[in-house]
Amino acid sequence: MTGDSGEAFLAALTEPQRTLVTSLVDQQRQDLTEIVQTRRTISTELRKFMKEDTVDKDKVLSLSRRYGELDGEISYYYCTAFANVAKTLTAEQKKTLLKLRNLDARFTGKGAYLYSQAIDMPAIPDTDSFFAASGFTKPEWVAPPTAPQPPR
């Protein structure tokens, strides 16, 4: 359904509008490649907690900052492209696209969703401790690695 809706979305656009959307692939390619490498490097650094008590905090923060910059740039590309498309939509195109969404025009999301299904709003634990530490040291709740047990 999603693939068909995407094709129908593109078909409802004029060629210049369609180009704004389809050019996103090339615009974000370099950023996505760098995001993958950045996430891999962060993961490698954080896996050191499995054998060591500390990691290079400055390296993780620097990489995380870069990841945020890349993610923000990709978001900018999307916002800019879709805003430019929205400015040029005709009334007929808007009607067609609203129908593709398969939602009532007055729809507003409320609450939480899990895989598009409404669920009760989950309790979100206090996350302040994630940001209060002065250094990246292994939290007390992280269990040390254990040696594999031989089969019985």
Side-chain angles (χ1 to χ4, degrees):
M1 179 177 190
T2 304
D4 293 342
S5 294
E7 285 182 32
F9 168 74
L10 291 174
L13 302 178
T14 64
E15 186 56 37
Q17 292 167 332
R18 194 172 18 261
T19 299
L20 286 170
V21 174
T22 58
S23 68
L24 287 167
V25 174
D26 290 328
Q27 283 181 305
Q28 67 183 339
R29 182 173 281 116
Q30 183 176 342
D31 287 348
L32 287 171
T33 300
E34 189 176 343
I35 279 176
V36 169
Q37 182 57 47
T38 301
R39 287 179 62 140
R40 182 175 290 126
T41 306
I42 290 170
S43 295
T44 300
E45 188 66 28
L46 292 176
R47 280 191 199 102
K48 291 179 182 177
F49 271 138
M50 296 170 75
K51 295 182 181 180
E52 303 171 23
D53 288 332
T54 61
V55 298
D56 185 341
K57 174 186 174 184
D58 291 334
K59 181 177 183 179
V60 172
L61 289 176
S62 175
L63 289 164
S64 297
R65 189 173 303 108
R66 181 62 184 149
Y67 178 90
E69 291 168 353
L70 294 164
D71 188 52
E73 190 169 318
I74 289 171
S75 295
Y76 170 80
Y77 293 149
Y78 275 92
C79 291
T80 302
F82 281 91
N84 286 332
V85 168
K87 289 180 202 174
T88 63
L89 292 174
T90 65
E92 188 61 33
Q93 285 176 309
K94 289 177 185 178
K95 184 178 171 183
T96 299
L97 296 177
L98 185 60
K99 187 176 178 182
L100 280 174
R101 288 181 57 204
N102 199 24
L103 296 174
D104 184 293
R106 297 164 299 196
F107 176 81
T108 55
K110 295 178 184 166
Y113 291 83
L114 179 64
Y115 304 114
S116 301
Q117 298 297 313
I119 60 170
D120 292 333
M121 186 62 94
I124 300 175
D126 181 10
T127 59
D128 290 349
S129 63
F130 292 151
F131 306 99
S134 61
F136 277 11
T137 57
K138 190 181 298 184
E140 292 177 22
W141 50 266
V142 175
T146 57
Q149 300 298 315
R152 295 180 189 203

